[in-house]
Amino acid sequence: MRLYTVHLKDAAPADAGDPPAFELVRDGFCWAAFFLPLLWAVWRGQWTGLLLYLICVLATSTLTVMAVPGEAVEIALGLGLAVLTGFSANDWWRWRLQRQGYRNVGAVAAADADEAAMRVLEVFDARGNDRKSGSPAPTEQAVPAGGPSGGPSGEPSSGPWGTPAR
């Protein structure tokens, strides 16, 4: 199972019958950014990440040319930068989504992105997404006065994907 964070667009859908706009970002290491960082950054529209990566490459290249540390150190620096990029890539993507008006509403565990998208759509349908008005379902439930275990129907209060409400 993989974990995906769910990012919901704050604006209403263009058509009343459309599901709410959301993005799924896989949690964890990004192999595409590790092996092909420049192509990954362009493909995802990560212009700030691309610029940061190029500055780091330029800095390490300048450092290795000036210091002449040897081939093993150059390989270690390049590999370290690739590993750092792989671990940071999905966080950069989340940051860009936040700047574009998406908000992180939770996480979903699924075998792949298609299954995760289906689960998210099921949650919106189950929560009573009003597709006529375009307003998405509430993302969190309020904790009742009796505490987290005392919901209106006697069941525990929880967030949208089974996580405890805050």
Side-chain angles (χ1 to χ4, degrees):
M1 293 292 254
R2 296 181 176 129
L3 188 64
Y4 296 87
T5 55
V6 182
H7 302 267
L8 181 67
K9 184 73 170 175
D10 284 334
D15 185 17
D18 287 344
F22 65 91
E23 290 273 342
L24 297 172
V25 180
R26 184 171 170 226
D27 200 28
F29 193 81
C30 181
W31 289 101
F34 173 78
F35 287 113
L36 302 167
L38 298 175
L39 291 176
W40 181 86
V42 170
W43 177 53
R44 289 288 181 201
Q46 299 292 334
W47 308 116
T48 306
L50 176 66
L51 181 63
L52 181 64
Y53 179 80
L54 290 175
I55 288 171
C56 288
V57 167
L58 181 65
T60 56
S61 297
T62 303
L63 179 67
T64 57
V65 167
M66 292 175 66
V68 191
E71 192 172 309
V73 173
E74 291 177 22
I75 291 172
L77 285 173
L79 187 60
L81 183 58
V83 168
L84 180 66
T85 302
F87 277 115
S88 302
N90 289 334
D91 292 330
W92 294 341
W93 187 10
R94 287 182 191 95
W95 181 67
R96 182 181 61 85
L97 287 173
Q98 182 182 10
R99 287 184 29 210
Q100 290 180 338
Y102 286 81
R103 60 189 162 94
N104 187 345
V105 294
V108 62
D112 59 10
D114 292 335
E115 182 182 335
M118 292 300 295
R119 286 186 181 188
V120 169
L121 290 174
E122 288 173 6
V123 167
F124 280 114
D125 286 341
R127 297 277 180 189
N129 183 27
D130 186 6
R131 293 189 181 184
K132 292 178 184 172
S133 69
S135 63
T139 57
E140 294 187 24
Q141 296 176 352
V143 177
S149 62
S153 61
E155 61 187 14
S157 178
S158 65
W161 290 280
T163 59
R166 294 181 200 167

